[in-house]
Every structure is written in C-alpha cells, then in structure tokens.
Amino acid sequence: MSKLHQLLGLAMRAGKVVSGEERVLSAIRSGVAFLVLISDDAALNARKKISDKSKHYGVPLMTAGSRSELGRALGKAERVVVAVTDPGFAKAIRKRCE
C-alpha cells in the first residue's frame, strides 16, 4: 500500500473523509472539502461532474488509483470518489502525490 493510501486510511479512521458521489458533492458545495480524490477508472459522467464542481469551488482534485485501491485504503468496498475534510490531511496527501 502506498503512502497516499496509508494517509487516506488514517484520515478515514479520524473521521475526516467522506465518500460517495452525492456526499462528496455536498461537501464541496458546503466548503468542508479540502481535497477530492477520484479513481482512475471512474465513469466519464462522474469524473466530469466531480471535476466541474471541484473547479468551480476551488477544491483540488487528484486521481488516486483504482476504485478497489481507494476502497481498500478506507477499509470499505470499492469507492470511486472521496473528499478529505481536514486541511492538514489534505496537505499531507497532496505533498505525497507531488
């Protein structure tokens, strides 16, 4: 498991992650999302919807492996999109991905 997925798992255990398309869109709209991660095998419609919302609200968007890797990092079933709701975790994850 990569360092990115380890940090994402830690953020999940701390309660600083939301997953699922509608919950992530809600987090972006309400201003609590500091980073959005989307799987590289997400559907084009979902990718466009998340990308457009993220750009509009100024939330960084990154790809983070497959949906099964994202789900495994969170200790859940497959996940297509997740939002990090803590600025410290978001900064650490972005730093690891650069």
Side-chain angles (χ1 to χ4, degrees):
M1 187 179 290
S2 72
K3 192 70 167 177
L4 161 73
H5 293 110
Q6 289 174 351
L7 283 168
L8 195 55
L10 186 60
M12 178 68 183
R13 287 188 296 280
K16 302 299 182 181
V17 172
V18 294
S19 63
E21 188 175 329
E22 292 305 317
R23 291 186 70 206
V24 168
L25 288 172
S26 177
I28 292 170
R29 283 187 206 109
S30 63
V32 298
F34 291 95
L35 175 67
V36 175
L37 300 166
I38 192 164
S39 68
D40 53 12
D41 55 354
L44 292 177
N45 285 343
R47 185 180 295 274
K48 181 172 179 359
K49 186 186 292 186
I50 297 294
S51 175
D52 289 348
K53 269 307 175 214
S54 295
K55 284 179 189 171
H56 180 75
Y57 286 92
V59 178
L61 174 68
M62 303 172 72
T63 57
S66 69
R67 60 181 68 204
S68 62
E69 290 173 337
L70 267 178
R72 201 171 330 120
L74 299 175
K76 307 267 185 192
E78 294 181 341
R79 296 290 188 240
V80 174
V81 62
V82 299
V84 179
T85 60
D86 180 79
F89 278 118
K91 183 178 178 183
I93 291 170
R94 288 181 65 194
K95 188 175 180 182
R96 289 290 173 196
C97 289
E98 292 175 348

